[in-house]
Amino acid sequence: RKEVEQDPGPFNVPEGATVAFNCTYSNSASQSFFWYRQDCRKEPKLLMSVYSSGNEDGRFTAQLNRASQYISLLIRDSKLSDSATYLCVVNPATGKLIFGQGTTLQVKP
Amino acid sequence: DAGITQSPRYKITETGRQVTLMCHQTWSHSYMFWYRQDLGHGLRLIYYSAAADITDKGEVPDGYVVSRSKTENFPLTLESATRSQTSVYFCASRGTYEQYFGPGTRLTVT
């Protein structure tokens, strides 16, 4: 079983749609969680951290369920510029972050 | 400027040549990492370092060598480049919490 698993997609949605990505992780001792965004062949960039209480940043909402070892990212009112690959990232406190393979989002006009 | 930089940004080399990719960060982050990303695939960790003079292997270390004599620099050397090492290489650094990536080096081995 992979340490971090994501549905690779692609998710094809129209502009204005709401889309949700899910991610599961295997190490129950993991301490912190993140979503990164990667545009085609560019460096991954931090989108947001994920807190136990859930957190929101504009159109983006991240949630963490420690009991189920599950992380989610919700994007509301999708824009064309949201098209990218979204990486679920887990810190198992071993020094190295564990990156999922990514979920590809294509927002269509 | 503050941040993390990589050089060169693009490199074409021949099979068998030695190549060194440079990475420099200005945050004094303890941790530094090297990843490779092949077309259509995820990130794979090559090597990482927890501090100056401390390095450790990642998932795919074969054919690569690293050193970290100073906190801010973490060069990656391909001792004898092979075509299978054609990839985009990302360096990253992390302090206590968040990790930041450099812009990447696109390496082609012919």
Side-chain angles (χ1 to χ4, degrees):
Chain A
R1 181 185 172 189
K2 289 183 180 175
E3 292 183 79
V4 176
E5 295 206 58
Q6 295 182 251
D7 180 346
F11 284 62
N12 294 301
V13 303
E15 272 186 292
T18 295
V19 61
F21 306 138
N22 302 321
C23 165
T24 57
Y25 61 95
S26 60
N27 188 337
S28 60
S30 297
Q31 296 183 342
S32 50
F33 309 87
F34 309 90
W35 283 101
Y36 276 71
R37 169 192 170 131
Q38 185 175 26
D39 293 288
C40 187
R41 301 285 269 173
K42 293 194 173 181
E43 75 270 28
K45 293 186 177 177
L46 180 65
L47 179 67
M48 58 197 302
S49 302
V50 187
Y51 304 120
S52 295
S53 54
N55 49 299
E56 189 173 305
D57 182 1
R59 298 181 293 109
F60 298 83
T61 301
Q63 300 228 309
L64 168 65
N65 183 322
R66 284 189 184 271
S68 301
Q69 295 179 209
Y70 170 98
I71 306 159
S72 65
L73 177 68
L74 183 77
I75 305 175
R76 289 181 300 279
D77 189 23
S78 298
K79 312 290 184 193
L80 295 175
S81 57
D82 293 334
S83 297
T85 296
Y86 292 83
L87 306 173
C88 174
V89 184
V90 172
N91 182 356
T94 59
K96 335 172 255 186
L97 299 184
I98 307 299
F99 286 77
Q101 294 291 295
T103 298
T104 299
L105 172 65
Q106 291 277 3
V107 181
K108 308 283 189 183
Chain B
D1 288 345
I4 181 166
T5 56
Q6 293 183 235
S7 62
R9 295 293 312 280
Y10 301 88
K11 176 75 176 178
I12 300 174
T13 192
E14 294 176 343
T15 301
R17 298 237 182 196
Q18 184 180 82
V19 177
T20 296
L21 309 185
M22 304 301 292
C23 179
H24 176 79
Q25 53 107 354
T26 59
W27 294 302
S28 298
H29 283 167
S30 299
Y31 278 95
M32 294 189 75
F33 306 85
W34 275 106
Y35 299 87
R36 62 177 287 175
Q37 187 173 39
D38 301 317
L39 192 63
H41 290 84
L43 297 165
R44 289 189 291 171
L45 182 64
I46 304 171
Y47 269 98
Y48 67 105
S49 168
D53 297 322
I54 301 175
T55 62
D56 209 346
K57 295 178 180 179
E59 300 171 65
V60 289
D62 292 344
Y64 302 94
V65 174
V66 293
S67 61
R68 194 162 176 213
S69 56
K70 292 185 178 181
T71 299
E72 60 267 30
N73 295 324
F74 191 36
L76 175 74
T77 297
L78 288 66
E79 294 186 294
S80 178
T82 64
R83 289 197 183 90
S84 64
Q85 292 177 310
T86 293
S87 190
V88 179
Y89 290 84
F90 291 109
C91 178
S93 72
R94 181 163 64 84
T96 55
Y97 199 58
E98 295 164 354
Q99 181 164 309
Y100 298 96
F101 286 82
T105 294
R106 292 180 186 271
L107 176 68
T108 301
V109 183
T110 62

